Amino acid sequence: MHEFMRFCAVGGVAFMVDAGVLELLIAAALPALAARVFSIAVALQCSYLLHGAFTYRAHHGYSIQSWRLFMTSNMFGAAINYAVFAGVLSAALGPDAESSRWIALVAGTSVALFFNHWANRRFAFARKEP
């Protein structure tokens, strides 16, 4: 359970990075769906570094191989996250575009949370047998 709590804490930081990059790119006139591709990519890099240092530190070393495993396994979670984000945006939940974006962002991140935790434990940060 402690690992899941650390996972969620790192996820909270990555969520803030995702949201911040998303809003910056939208302010720079990039459409929300295109901006989200970039914000997810930045958040994934942040997640890799923080999960390795904080969540799974006991059995992880940074390497190209561990980064590739992380990115490969988490791309499925990112696709889930993006699909939910796009679906909620297309449903236009509110009259205010910004509030709809935030609802879509929270919904996408929440739906992908459990898949990403499973993928990280199973693949990206799996304990190495001696």
Side-chain angles (χ1 to χ4, degrees):
M1 187 52 128
H2 295 291
E3 178 185 278
F4 185 70
M5 291 169 58
R6 288 191 306 268
F7 179 86
C8 289
V10 166
V13 172
F15 175 83
M16 289 186 289
V17 168
D18 190 356
V21 171
L22 177 66
E23 292 301 318
L24 285 172
L25 293 173
I26 289 171
L30 202 60
L33 292 177
R36 190 72 204 284
V37 171
F38 293 105
S39 70
I40 286 175
V42 173
L44 281 174
Q45 300 308 313
C46 173
S47 292
Y48 171 71
L49 295 172
L50 292 175
H51 281 312
F54 183 65
T55 309
Y56 304 102
R57 65 184 178 270
H59 53 278
H60 174 68
Y62 294 113
S63 68
I64 291 295
Q65 181 182 358
S66 68
W67 179 83
R68 270 189 263 174
L69 281 171
F70 178 85
M71 294 306 289
T72 301
S73 61
N74 282 267
M75 289 308 287
F76 291 102
I80 293 167
N81 190 331
Y82 185 85
V84 171
F85 177 80
V88 170
L89 274 185
S90 71
L93 290 177
D96 176 33
E98 188 175 353
S99 67
S100 294
R101 242 188 350 263
W102 279 94
I103 292 167
L105 184 65
V106 169
T109 302
S110 299
V111 170
L113 172 85
F114 294 101
F115 175 84
N116 284 336
H117 182 254
W118 172 81
N120 282 329
R121 290 193 78 216
R122 177 75 171 98
F123 301 107
F125 297 106
R127 295 187 197 282
K128 294 179 177 47
E129 298 297 324

